[in-house]
Amino acid sequence: MNNDAGNPLLVIPVSLDDETSLYTYTAGFLTEGEYTVSYSCQTDDNETDEAIEFFGDQNVTVTAGETAQAETIPLTP
C-alpha cells in the first residue's frame, strides 16, 4: 500500500482462533521501528477514492531479531 499521507503500509487479513475465540494476524518481515496498528471492518474498493475508517490505534515497537506483539484490540469501534 502507499504509505504517503497516513495510508496503510500493510493490509493483513485476520483469522479466528477457534480455541481462544480471538482474531489473530501476523505481519512479518518489518524493519526496526515504530508502527501504528489499527483495524477496519470496511473493504477497500480500488475503483473509488473513499476514505477507510480505522479504529483501535496503538503504537508497537519492532526490534530486529525479536517478535513484537500488539495488545488485544476490541472489535467494536
Side-chain angles (χ1 to χ4, degrees):
M1 300 292 295
N2 178 357
N3 196 28
D4 294 337
N7 290 323
L9 174 64
L10 295 171
V11 176
I12 301 167
V14 298
S15 59
L16 180 62
D17 182 326
D18 291 329
E19 290 182 25
T20 64
S21 295
L22 296 174
Y23 288 93
T24 62
Y25 63 92
T26 300
F29 307 105
L30 293 170
T31 58
E32 264 187 346
E34 294 288 323
Y35 294 88
T36 301
V37 176
S38 59
Y39 73 92
S40 178
C41 294
Q42 289 176 264
T43 58
D44 186 20
D45 180 357
N46 291 331
E47 301 296 321
T48 63
D49 191 22
E50 60 186 51
I52 297 176
E53 289 184 72
F54 292 96
F55 304 96
D57 294 358
Q58 64 179 282
N59 294 324
V60 177
T61 302
V62 172
T63 304
E66 296 183 14
T67 298
Q69 185 167 339
E71 298 297 320
T72 301
I73 300 174
L75 290 180
T76 53

